[in-house]
């Protein structure tokens, strides 16, 4: 009888533990429901949620979305699971929250949501400042990834929580402009007026010129200038992303004109780098990636031009060896045969042979004249005519 009683008590304890876990799970699902769409107090009560205790009537509320900046880095760590990482961040938030009236829970997307509530807007504003101050000090203890905080405006009533959360999401998106590990207020993120950007069009022209001339230093300077214009313009995240896409497509088109495709750069298709660029979380990441891409393209262009100039010079030399006996042979005739400009031919010929075209032709004729003088009985004037001199 005692054994049965002991076993029954153990099973009851396990049931209580399971019930508590289930209650926490239901509570978390309900809170995720609150931030995703409007919900009434009666509906919350019907779920068994003690709404008056956690969110008193007529409360002012504010949501703070805590979004890891580098979740993939955390997930790649064998020593820690992502769920443990989130629990560590959640524990820090619990210690940083300056008030009792707050809720914190996890989202299925791998984020944390903090809901502050209070009787006055001033109270919420002061509590927010204190939380951010405490969090920024404590967050230094978190390894592997920083977190960006998206902070909504202050609203009245629980039926506005989902609107506040939407503002928090939009604020986090502004990380693209402001950078990682930031606390971003929705009001700040929406100040972007979308003003015209006259400098940007000029930036487009300059980068094309720099790429076509393969000026490595100038390419880096042009990219730096373009992104500085974006930061200083105060435009919206959407507008900034759009301008970056246009800028990058301009670069791709310029490379296509120079007969350099994505495949030449080891990239499967033109859409791959655009998809990669769209996955960037900040302006700095986008700037660094475009700079690396352009420097790679510039090196490829340099190699291609080097190969082309070498082939052209070899073709020029072959032509000279074949037609050196023609008395009217000149740089102009040679460049016409090779379908390039005389100036370009002179430049690359000098670069590869350390001689001008006419110097090379004169040396070639003299060598041919020596051969004829040593191997034939031709007179000097006959040898001269055979090598192109009247």
């Amino acid at each position: 009888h005692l054994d049965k009683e002991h076993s029954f008590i153990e099973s009851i304890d396990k049931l209580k533990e399971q019930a508590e876990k289930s209650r926490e799970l239901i509570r978390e699902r309900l809170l995720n429901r609150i931030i995703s769409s409007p919900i009434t107090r009666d509906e919350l009560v019907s779920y068994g949620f003690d709404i008056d205790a956690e969110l008193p009537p007529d409360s002012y509320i504010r949501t703070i979305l805590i979004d890891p900046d580098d979740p993939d880095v955390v997930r790649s760590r064998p020593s820690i699971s992502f769920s443990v990482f989130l629990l560590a961040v959640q524990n820090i938030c619990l210690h940083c929250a300056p008030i009792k009236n707050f809720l914190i829970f996890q989202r299925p997307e791998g984020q944390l949501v903090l809901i502050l509530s209070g009787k006055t807007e001033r109270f919420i504003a002061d509590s927010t400042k204190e939380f951010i101050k405490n969090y920024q000090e404590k967050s230094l203890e978190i390894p592997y990834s920083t977190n960006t905080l998206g902070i909504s405006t202050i609203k009245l009533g629980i039926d506005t929580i989902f609107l506040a959360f939407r503002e928090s999401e939009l604020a986090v998106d502004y990380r693209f402009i402001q950078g990682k590990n930031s606390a971003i207020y929705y009001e700040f993120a929406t100040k972007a007026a979308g003003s015209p950007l006259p400098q940007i069009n000029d930036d487009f022209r300059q980068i094309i010129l720099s790429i076509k001339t393969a000026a490595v230093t100038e390419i880096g300077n042009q990219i730096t200038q373009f992104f500085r214009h974006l930061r200083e313009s105060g435009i919206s995240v959407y507008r900034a992303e759009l301008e970056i896409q246009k800028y990058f497509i301009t670069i791709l088109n310029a490379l296509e004109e120079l007969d350099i495709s994505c495949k030449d750069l080891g990239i499967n298709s033109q859409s791959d780098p655009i998809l990669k660029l769209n996955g960037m979380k900040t302006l700095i990441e986008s700037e660094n990636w475009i700079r690396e891409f352009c420097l790679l393209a510039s090196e490829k262009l340099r190699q291609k031009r080097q190969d082309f100039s070498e082939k052209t010079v070899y073709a020029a030399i072959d032509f000279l060896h074949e037609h050196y006996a023609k008395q009217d042979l000149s740089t102009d005739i040679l460049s016409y045969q090779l379908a390039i400009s005389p100036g370009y031919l002179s430049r690359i010929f000098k670069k590869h042979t350390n001689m001008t075209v006419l110097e090379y032709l004169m040396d070639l004729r003299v060598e041919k004249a020596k051969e004829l003088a040593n191997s034939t009985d031709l007179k000097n004037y006959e040898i001269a005519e055979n090598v192109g001199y009247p």
Side-chain angles (χ1 to χ4, degrees):
H1 177 76
L2 288 172
D3 287 343
K4 287 181 179 179
E5 184 178 349
H6 181 67
S7 178
F8 177 73
I9 291 172
E10 277 189 341
S11 65
I12 290 297
D13 289 340
K14 287 181 180 178
L15 286 171
K16 285 181 179 178
E17 186 179 341
Q18 290 174 3
E20 186 63 29
K21 287 181 179 178
S22 297
R23 198 179 81 84
E24 283 299 315
L25 184 60
I26 292 170
R27 178 178 179 275
E28 190 167 290
R29 286 179 178 173
L30 181 59
L31 289 169
N32 274 285
R33 161 83 168 78
I34 290 173
I35 62 174
S36 61
S37 60
I39 189 169
T40 63
R41 297 183 72 86
D42 292 339
E43 194 175 352
L44 287 170
V45 172
S46 68
Y47 280 99
F49 190 78
D50 189 1
I51 187 65
D52 290 335
E54 302 207 58
L55 289 172
D58 301 324
S59 294
Y60 286 94
I61 60 97
R62 165 176 268 166
T63 62
I64 300 176
L65 177 61
I66 303 162
D67 186 47
D69 291 322
D70 301 293
D72 291 338
V73 173
V74 181
R75 291 188 175 98
S76 66
R77 304 293 301 188
S79 57
I80 184 174
S81 67
F82 189 73
S83 58
V84 171
F85 170 80
L86 280 182
L87 282 173
V89 178
Q90 185 170 339
N91 187 54
I92 284 177
C93 291
L94 288 170
H95 286 88
C96 293
I99 59 175
K100 293 182 179 179
N101 292 335
F102 73 92
L103 302 170
I104 187 167
F105 56 96
Q106 293 185 20
R107 295 194 73 210
E109 291 80 357
Q111 303 163 314
L112 291 171
V113 180
L114 187 70
I115 302 177
L116 301 175
S117 63
K119 293 183 178 180
T120 65
E121 291 185 73
R122 180 60 181 270
F123 177 76
I124 295 293
D126 292 343
S127 299
T128 302
K129 289 179 182 177
E130 189 173 346
F131 169 76
I132 292 172
K133 178 176 176 293
N134 295 338
Y135 176 83
Q136 287 176 336
E137 292 175 358
K138 279 289 200 179
S139 64
L140 299 174
E141 303 171 8
I142 304 172
Y144 312 128
S145 174
T146 55
N147 298 282
T148 293
L149 277 55
I151 305 158
S152 74
T153 58
I154 300 172
K155 298 186 179 299
L156 179 62
I158 64 165
D159 56 335
T160 62
I161 288 178
F162 82 100
L163 294 173
F165 178 72
R166 180 61 184 142
E167 291 180 355
S168 294
E169 287 185 310
L170 293 172
V172 164
D173 288 342
Y174 204 75
R175 164 177 52 199
F176 187 77
I177 303 291
Q178 191 158 325
K180 296 178 179 179
N181 198 24
S182 302
I184 306 171
Y185 285 85
Y186 175 75
E187 298 99 316
F188 175 80
T190 53
K191 280 183 179 177
S195 55
L197 301 171
Q199 317 97 306
I200 298 296
N201 292 328
D202 188 52
D203 288 342
F204 282 29
R205 290 189 291 270
Q206 291 299 325
I207 191 65
I208 291 173
L209 179 62
S210 298
I211 288 173
K212 287 185 175 180
T213 56
V216 174
T217 303
E218 194 57 31
I219 288 172
N221 293 339
Q222 289 299 328
I223 292 170
T224 299
Q225 179 175 299
F226 171 74
F227 279 91
R228 184 172 66 248
H229 285 165
L230 282 183
R231 289 189 187 91
E232 294 173 354
S233 65
I235 60 175
S236 66
V237 172
Y238 170 76
R239 181 91 182 280
E241 289 175 339
L242 188 63
E243 292 295 339
I244 290 171
Q245 286 182 10
K246 286 164 57 181
Y247 188 70
F248 187 66
I249 289 171
T250 299
I251 291 170
L252 289 179
N253 291 338
L255 292 174
E256 287 287 346
E257 289 180 15
L258 297 169
D259 199 28
I260 294 180
S261 65
C262 287
K263 289 184 178 179
D264 294 330
L265 303 175
I267 300 170
N268 292 330
S269 67
Q270 190 172 13
S271 62
D272 289 348
I274 295 175
L275 291 173
K276 176 81 172 175
L277 188 61
N278 289 342
M280 300 293 169
K281 285 192 171 183
T282 64
L283 272 181
I284 293 174
E285 287 182 357
S286 300
E287 179 179 352
N288 291 338
W289 190 85
I290 289 179
R291 181 179 284 105
E292 289 177 10
F293 180 90
C294 286
L295 292 177
L296 175 64
S298 177
E299 176 61 21
K300 190 68 180 179
L301 178 61
R302 189 193 65 77
Q303 292 175 358
K304 204 161 190 173
R305 284 180 173 166
Q306 178 78 7
D307 294 343
F308 175 77
S309 64
E310 284 183 1
K311 289 178 181 177
T312 303
V313 170
Y314 288 139
I317 289 173
D318 288 343
F319 188 87
L320 290 174
H321 278 259
E322 187 176 350
H323 301 282
Y324 66 89
K326 289 185 176 181
Q327 296 181 10
D328 61 346
L329 186 58
S330 65
T331 303
D332 289 341
I333 290 175
L334 183 56
S335 62
Y336 176 79
Q337 292 295 325
L338 298 172
I340 58 176
S341 70
Y344 179 66
L345 174 60
S346 299
R347 188 164 62 252
I348 63 174
F349 200 94
K350 178 77 172 178
K351 178 181 178 182
H352 288 281
T353 65
N354 290 322
M355 304 171 71
T356 67
V357 173
L358 295 180
E359 286 172 344
Y360 186 92
L361 178 59
M362 183 181 69
D363 279 7
L364 175 62
R365 285 170 167 170
V366 168
E367 290 302 318
K368 294 296 181 181
K370 287 180 182 179
E371 292 175 10
L372 292 173
N374 287 327
S375 61
T376 70
D377 294 327
L378 294 173
K379 299 183 185 306
N380 284 349
Y381 73 88
E382 292 174 321
I383 292 175
E385 287 179 352
N386 280 327
V387 296
Y389 288 112

